[in-house]
Amino acid sequence: MENIEKVHLVVEEKYFPPKDIVEECIVKDYESMYEKSMQNPTEFWEEIASDLYWFEKWEKVLEWDFPRAKWFVGGKTNITYNCLDRHVKSGKRNKVAYIYVDEDRNEKKYTYGELLELVNRMANGLKSLGVQKGDRVSIYMPNTVEAIACMLACTRIGAIHSVVFAGFSEGALRLRIEDAKAKVVITSTYTKRRGKKIHLLETVKEAIKPLNFVERVVVWDRDGELDEEEIDNRMVKLDKLIDNSSPVCEPEVMDSEDPLFILYTSGTTGKPKGVLHTVGGYMVNTYLTTKTVFNIKEETVYWCTADIGWITGHSYIVYGPLANAATSLIMEGVPVYPHPGIWWEYIQKYRVNVFYTAPTAIRMLMRFGEDIPAKYDLSSLKILGSVGEPINPEAWLWYYKNVGRERAVVVDTWWQTETGAHMITTLPSYPAKPGKAGKPMFGVDPLVVDKEGNPLPPNTVGYLVIKKPWPSMLRTCWGEPERYEKYWKEIPGGYYSAGDLASIDEDGYIMILGRADDVLSVAGHRIGNAEVESAIVEHPAVAEAAVIGKPNEIKGESIKAFVILKAGSVPSDKLVEEIKDTVREVLGAIAVPDEVEFVDKLPKTRSGKIMRRVLRARELGQELGDTSTLED
Ligand code: WTA
């Protein structure tokens, strides 16, 4: 295992949070609360869960039958009841839940009362289509409150939603609908990016052509532009469902361990995994982490810039903020349109207190210079969150100085689709170290180990594992229980293996260095090397492909593909473009390689596995390392 100094340059400096922020913090004493969560987890979690409403209380907090966990065993609840009804019943009917803004600066506000009514109507609408508890519903929607309402409508009636990021292509969408065997797909006529319409319904129509099990497609006809003849017998308009349904829908009584949603994420094979989360534990931990990491109070205005198509959107745009009765901003569009100061404009306009974004966005906005944020009044900001990839100290400091004006605190939150909620993060009440995520969240017991599972000394890079189950952990991979077991069996010792490299310093701060496996992080998006490779070989001229990640100043990593052509095909620029188009069609724009190089041979082990490590070292001019298993 390499020594840390060789790998990463860290600015070894602690940034103490301002006094007034510490005084306002819900958690002032992290250490003692963490200690309690470790020493007395039952009492700790009972207290947190008791903030929420349960139709029937749980009998037992945790049942751990390695590697399967059940949390709040026997508890009955409904997450939408806790996200909506609970607030409406306690006098917050008119509190704003979401302020939606589009790319043309149009805004629309939704109060908790209005959102509850919308969700209930949609839930009844879904019922009228025959959707029942346990059925899967795929959602391919723009980043809007309507999409959120669709998610909540599913969970209201116990249907399992599977949101597919609306930037994914037809192929990626089909795979996800097919794997989940969704009965209904919900979509919209379009979304808008950089002023351009992206037609989502067309993609859905193509994706489901061969899928007979999809009974209905619900379409949000945003501008009322669909002609009657465009509507086939599988299609129904969302507005019609809403208008024809009652605004009252009793929430389905859900067991703690009933499935809540599936979200597909990349792994080391070509097929994405359907990460399954369940109701009780996910609800409790997204509630707790949102509250304590972002210090959500009655008056807080909160903005997470993620898309609901990713786990960050699920946990920190939808469920966590709603469970805390927060007021959130949600934007449809990109951070640089109509101008590169649009985010700062909105922070000023809506007096945003908590802002949560990704390092790739910060690095992109950095390029436009500090004069741009300097034009805006950002004095409302108190907490700045980061998520999705390691934040390099340079970006951290820029964020802290130019956005936070050295007054707001930066919290770097490490977690995964699988963990459901924050796992390692800085809390606003204790000093942050740029480049280090921070300390474990409550109830999280991390360790850095070698391949054999032996703990490593401080400041040594190793594999990040979690020793004990936590409430919002994934329960399985949809239809592939063996893939779930792998997380717990990868490294000896019975730990959950995160797939990341990390090190812990003397103060207990954890630094995440990136993936340890064949998973790329491109602009904060998780993409499997194998996924891109199998997309490339769909091009008829390609015999074989290998994909590596290269360090990229803005995106973190960029994709380079090495391609062997079939006999008779000749390398050309045109072929490069065609290969890129193939990836765009199969997976979507986020997975398109920046570079394609044609080669005659790929480095392989004697058993025929491509050694991407060797390709990467050669590409970056590094030493090749151990090549004893190399075939030739
Ligand atoms: C990476 C996103 C460093 C990590 C929430 C992890 C991070 C993967 C951080 C999960 C962070 C996420 N610092 N790396 N603060 N947050 N990652 O499932 O490699 O899309 O394993 O979940 O993103 O990506 P996922």
Side-chain angles (χ1 to χ4, degrees):
M1 209 58 67
E2 290 157 288
N3 201 289
I4 188 112
E5 279 82 10
K6 277 202 246 159
V7 186
H8 216 248
L9 178 77
V10 193
V11 182
E12 245 326 324
E13 213 167 332
K14 275 193 189 181
Y15 284 78
F16 289 87
K19 274 215 179 66
D20 52 332
I21 287 184
V22 180
E23 276 156 24
E24 282 177 27
C25 277
I26 294 170
V27 176
K28 291 189 183 63
D29 181 2
Y30 159 80
E31 300 294 340
S32 66
M33 190 158 161
Y34 179 73
E35 204 47 36
K36 181 173 176 189
S37 75
M38 299 314 286
Q39 297 310 325
N40 203 340
T42 303
E43 194 187 314
F44 178 88
W45 289 113
E46 295 221 319
E47 260 177 51
I48 306 296
S50 302
D51 284 355
L52 300 163
Y53 185 81
W54 301 76
F55 303 127
E56 268 174 56
K57 206 189 151 189
W58 57 90
E59 290 138 24
K60 212 171 154 195
V61 168
L62 168 67
E63 222 172 79
W64 179 223
D65 177 13
F66 178 86
R68 308 212 165 258
K70 287 184 181 166
W71 282 87
F72 307 104
V73 185
K76 308 275 182 234
T77 187
N78 185 296
I79 200 166
T80 67
Y81 190 91
N82 278 296
C83 288
L84 302 169
D85 308 59
R86 195 165 56 94
H87 309 315
V88 168
K89 286 186 166 66
S90 65
K92 296 189 181 129
R93 177 177 290 276
N94 296 321
K95 183 172 179 181
V96 174
Y98 291 105
I99 306 164
Y100 160 83
V101 279
D102 71 11
E103 282 194 329
D104 304 313
R105 294 193 179 80
N106 297 309
E107 75 165 43
K108 193 170 172 204
K109 290 183 177 160
Y110 299 74
T111 63
Y112 275 90
E114 287 164 345
L115 188 60
L116 175 61
E117 186 180 324
L118 182 62
V119 168
N120 279 344
R121 286 181 182 275
M122 282 190 192
N124 284 326
L126 288 176
K127 274 189 183 170
S128 74
L129 300 181
V131 178
Q132 293 175 354
K133 182 176 175 179
D135 286 343
R136 275 80 56 208
V137 174
S138 293
I139 298 176
Y140 188 69
M141 286 279 274
N143 204 41
T144 54
V145 178
E146 282 71 10
I148 294 171
C150 291
M151 294 164 74
L152 296 166
C154 289
T155 52
R156 183 95 181 158
I157 62 173
I160 305 169
H161 61 68
S162 165
V163 180
V164 182
F165 172 57
F168 274 124
S169 68
E170 171 202 323
L173 173 63
R174 181 182 303 122
L175 191 144
R176 284 160 176 77
I177 297 174
E178 191 163 20
D179 192 78
K181 289 277 173 308
K183 194 175 197 174
V184 169
V185 180
I186 311 179
T187 190
S188 162
T189 38
Y190 67 86
T191 182
K192 254 179 151 181
R193 284 175 83 80
R194 293 174 194 269
K196 243 182 67 190
K197 275 190 183 177
I198 303 187
H199 299 280
L200 302 180
L201 175 60
E202 283 167 23
T203 308
V204 169
K205 276 184 174 169
E206 285 306 311
I208 62 162
K209 250 185 200 157
L211 308 180
N212 294 326
F213 54 84
V214 176
E215 292 174 15
R216 304 304 288 261
V217 176
V218 178
V219 191
W220 178 32
D221 184 8
R222 296 182 79 171
D223 298 340
E225 57 190 349
L226 278 185
D227 297 336
E228 282 310 315
E229 61 256 36
E230 279 182 273
I231 301 179
D232 64 32
N233 49 11
R234 270 207 274 194
M235 255 155 70
V236 46
K237 284 197 190 186
L238 182 65
D239 283 349
K240 215 179 209 170
L241 279 188
I242 293 172
D243 293 345
N244 294 344
S245 299
S246 149
V248 180
C249 174
E250 285 307 316
E252 186 76 30
V253 175
M254 302 291 283
D255 187 88
S256 281
E257 286 300 330
D258 277 336
L260 178 65
F261 65 78
I262 304 169
L263 184 59
Y264 286 86
T265 190
S266 296
T268 53
T269 69
K271 187 171 170 267
K273 324 182 213 199
V275 167
L276 182 88
H277 283 286
T278 55
V279 176
Y282 177 86
M283 174 176 82
V284 172
N285 210 17
T286 50
Y287 162 74
L288 172 71
T289 49
T290 307
K291 185 182 178 117
T292 57
V293 176
F294 299 130
N295 208 39
I296 302 292
K297 301 207 168 159
E298 180 57 38
E299 64 286 353
T300 307
V301 179
Y302 165 88
W303 184 15
C304 167
T305 67
D307 187 285
I308 47 131
W310 309 112
I311 192 67
T312 306
H314 284 58
S315 301
Y316 298 109
I317 294 178
V318 185
Y319 294 110
L322 290 179
N324 281 281
T327 295
S328 299
L329 199 65
I330 175 169
M331 180 178 132
E332 184 181 1
V334 298
V336 291
Y337 186 93
H339 64 82
I342 190 72
W343 279 6
W344 321 133
E345 184 185 311
Y346 286 148
I347 290 171
Q348 170 180 287
K349 177 168 180 194
Y350 295 105
R351 306 295 297 155
V352 173
N353 307 119
V354 181
F355 182 66
Y356 190 29
T357 194
T360 186
I362 298 165
R363 290 191 298 261
M364 180 174 66
L365 294 169
M366 262 169 88
R367 291 236 299 210
F368 292 95
E370 47 197 60
D371 295 352
I372 296 195
K375 281 191 254 173
Y376 298 91
D377 173 6
L378 305 180
S379 60
S380 58
L381 287 172
K382 292 181 179 174
I383 296 173
L384 301 174
S386 175
V387 62
E389 56 187 309
I391 177 163
N392 47 312
E394 197 195 351
W396 194 103
L397 288 168
W398 190 88
Y399 197 27
Y400 178 69
K401 289 192 172 136
N402 297 292
V403 183
R405 310 274 157 88
E406 302 190 21
R407 207 193 43 253
V409 294
V410 175
V411 296
D412 178 11
T413 63
W414 175 86
W415 59 295
Q416 309 177 297
T417 305
E418 293 88 338
T419 70
H422 299 151
M423 297 293 277
I424 294 166
T425 173
T426 318
L427 284 195
S429 56
Y430 68 78
K433 291 189 188 186
K436 296 194 171 174
K439 301 186 191 184
M441 256 330 260
F442 309 117
V444 175
D445 196 0
L447 195 64
V448 173
V449 298
D450 64 16
K451 260 201 174 84
E452 282 71 49
N454 306 305
L456 291 171
N459 296 321
T460 313
V461 178
Y463 299 95
L464 177 63
V465 297
I466 311 291
K467 285 160 77 176
K468 288 192 197 130
W470 63 98
S472 59
M473 62 190 251
L474 79 162
R475 297 302 196 267
T476 191
C477 295
W478 187 254
E480 299 179 299
E482 61 294 345
R483 277 181 110 175
Y484 169 76
E485 304 223 338
K486 214 171 153 225
Y487 287 100
W488 293 92
K489 297 190 171 159
E490 188 93 16
I491 287 177
Y495 307 136
Y496 168 85
S497 170
D500 277 317
L501 292 173
S503 77
I504 307 185
D505 73 12
E506 300 82 0
D507 300 333
Y509 283 67
I510 298 174
M511 179 161 80
I512 312 289
L513 291 107
R515 299 291 305 190
D517 53 6
D518 286 323
V519 173
L520 303 159
S521 172
V522 181
H525 299 314
R526 207 169 135 174
I527 301 166
N529 299 54
E531 249 175 306
V532 184
E533 290 161 359
S534 51
I536 293 174
V537 297
E538 290 201 18
H539 188 286
V542 174
E544 214 175 340
V547 152
I548 60 161
K550 281 173 78 171
N552 177 287
E553 222 179 284
I554 291 181
K555 296 197 282 188
E557 273 186 304
S558 67
I559 301 177
K560 170 153 187 182
F562 297 88
V563 172
I564 302 180
L565 292 175
K566 283 185 187 155
S569 295
V570 203
S572 69
D573 289 348
K574 187 169 159 267
L575 207 47
V576 169
E577 288 315 308
E578 281 180 27
I579 288 170
K580 289 185 180 180
D581 285 344
T582 306
V583 178
R584 195 172 291 116
E585 273 158 37
V586 177
L587 292 174
I590 54 172
V592 173
D594 281 328
E595 287 175 78
V596 176
E597 185 181 326
F598 297 105
V599 293
D600 298 328
K601 237 181 179 180
L602 289 168
K604 286 191 184 163
T605 62
R606 285 183 200 113
S607 58
K609 267 176 85 177
I610 295 172
M611 292 181 85
R612 299 187 185 99
R613 178 176 63 78
V614 171
L615 279 173
R616 194 176 136 90
R618 201 168 60 189
E619 179 72 22
L620 303 178
Q622 297 165 342
E623 281 171 35
L624 293 187
D626 178 16
T627 51
S628 55
T629 56
L630 197 63
E631 174 193 43
D632 136 34

